[in-house]
Amino acid sequence: MNNGMLNTAVHAARLAGKIILNNFERKNFKVEEKNKNDLVTSVDHEVEQAIKNYILEKYPSHRFLGEEYGEQTSSSPVVPQRSRDQISKSHDPNAEYLWIVDPIDGTTNFVQGIPHVAVSIALKINGRTELGVVYDPIRDEMFQALRGQGCEMNDRRLRVADSKSLDGTIIATSFPHRKRELVPYYTQILMRVFSECADIRRAGTASLDLAYVAAGRLDGYFELGLGPWDLAAGELMVREAGGLVSDFDGNNKYEESGNIVCGNAKILRGLLANIKAVKKA
């Protein structure tokens, strides 16, 4: 692993950010509903294609997994739109070099003109995440992490919050709006966590939630039903900033389940205790 690949990810994210900024609040882009409560715009497609072209021009033998078009190579044609579940289950997570990209994380925010969106880019090598970049073009904040080398935001080293318990903390989450059959289960967890922490935040951009935990802006985070592009970059950032990441069972299968919990060791323990209490009830 070398800094050249990280620089490629950073440059690709900035290229994507320019496209997002040029279209933000203009409302002259096409909006479709991929699935119920799951939006995509023509800008998502444009951004993903731009990132793919930039990365695979430099590394033509690598594979590329984007939220909108699935897994591709440098020679792959643009494929018809597929569902998130189809794309999640169709890729090879153990490919030698696999770039995982969410072109616009927070598409609904983007459509509504809410200034909280991000570009997320991660690279897996032989199934292990080696680098992650999350770029907020609205605030010009570039979060980046290299395995074993820590996490930074605009050249400032990041560290997770040192909270000793859930008391007084700010915890991020998101409603399972794509899988509403999980709402009763999720709501029980939410109410238990809310009874112990100071407040809850729901901003609608998973990659930034994870980056904010890495930065200590949020004390912890939990969410159900994420795709690989939602969490690949951010989960590495949390771990490189000294935090812990698990699934809802306290194991490391969050990429498989899409259910993620993170924070420092004490916060993770507190969140998992509430999740496990709901499971037992």
Side-chain angles (χ1 to χ4, degrees):
M1 184 63 219
N2 57 56
N3 288 330
M5 290 180 179
L6 178 62
N7 290 336
T8 294
V10 168
H11 290 152
R14 289 200 181 279
L15 173 65
K18 289 180 181 179
I19 299 172
I20 292 170
L21 284 175
N22 286 340
N23 288 277
F24 187 69
E25 288 190 331
R26 291 188 178 183
K27 302 285 188 178
N28 60 350
F29 44 79
K30 185 178 180 182
V31 181
E32 298 177 356
E33 193 173 53
K34 289 186 288 187
N35 298 289
K36 182 68 174 175
N37 306 310
D38 191 5
L39 301 180
V40 64
T41 73
S42 55
V43 183
D44 291 80
H45 292 146
E46 181 183 356
V47 170
E48 183 169 312
Q49 196 64 37
I51 295 172
K52 176 201 166 187
N53 292 344
Y54 185 85
I55 290 175
L56 296 188
E57 181 179 351
K58 293 183 177 295
Y59 302 104
S61 65
H62 291 191
R63 302 193 70 83
F64 183 96
L65 174 67
E67 179 180 5
E68 307 310 333
Y69 293 126
E71 187 171 353
Q72 301 181 71
T73 64
S74 58
S75 59
S76 296
V78 173
V79 298
Q81 184 174 292
R82 291 175 285 170
S83 72
R84 289 168 60 95
D85 287 343
Q86 287 174 320
I87 291 173
S88 293
K89 294 173 182 176
S90 66
H91 76 283
D92 177 8
N94 296 311
E96 184 177 6
Y97 291 94
L98 178 66
W99 295 86
I100 303 176
V101 172
D102 191 341
I104 305 180
D105 188 13
T107 297
T108 300
N109 286 348
F110 177 74
V111 170
Q112 294 295 121
I114 298 170
H116 194 73
V117 300
V119 181
S120 177
I121 301 174
L123 173 63
K124 282 180 175 285
I125 301 178
N126 294 319
R128 191 170 81 163
T129 306
E130 296 290 342
L131 71 80
V133 165
V134 173
Y135 180 49
D136 177 348
I138 309 296
R139 298 175 183 83
D140 192 24
E141 292 186 336
M142 180 71 71
F143 300 86
Q144 58 189 67
L146 271 176
R147 177 178 288 274
Q149 297 186 41
C151 180
E152 297 181 349
M153 189 275 287
N154 293 358
D155 299 320
R156 179 171 66 84
R157 189 82 168 194
L158 301 182
R159 193 73 183 172
V160 296
D162 62 355
S163 310
K164 302 300 187 291
S165 72
L166 287 177
D167 184 41
T169 59
I170 304 297
I171 303 298
T173 188
S174 187
F175 301 105
H177 62 283
R178 297 187 188 94
K179 297 184 177 181
R180 301 204 175 195
E181 68 277 10
L182 297 176
V183 168
Y185 167 60
Y186 167 81
T187 303
Q188 292 180 65
I189 297 171
L190 177 66
M191 294 310 297
R192 289 189 65 97
V193 172
F194 183 60
S195 70
E196 294 190 34
C197 71
D199 210 346
I200 300 283
R201 293 290 180 269
R202 190 269 192 252
T205 306
S207 61
L208 284 178
D209 285 337
L210 288 160
Y212 282 16
V213 172
R217 295 174 177 176
L218 295 168
D219 296 281
Y221 166 64
F222 69 96
E223 186 166 350
L224 284 158
L226 294 174
W229 42 80
D230 295 312
L231 56 81
E235 63 89 14
L236 177 65
M237 292 177 183
V238 173
R239 291 189 285 108
E240 286 298 319
L244 298 175
V245 183
S246 82
D247 60 20
F248 277 27
D249 295 315
N251 300 318
N252 63 357
K253 295 182 178 181
Y254 45 88
E255 293 182 345
E256 299 171 29
S257 66
N259 304 336
I260 192 167
V261 190
C262 67
N264 69 27
K266 293 182 174 64
I267 296 303
L268 182 74
R269 190 179 306 122
L271 290 172
L272 286 174
N274 284 290
I275 291 169
K276 289 177 180 178
V278 171
K279 285 188 173 184
K280 290 179 180 179

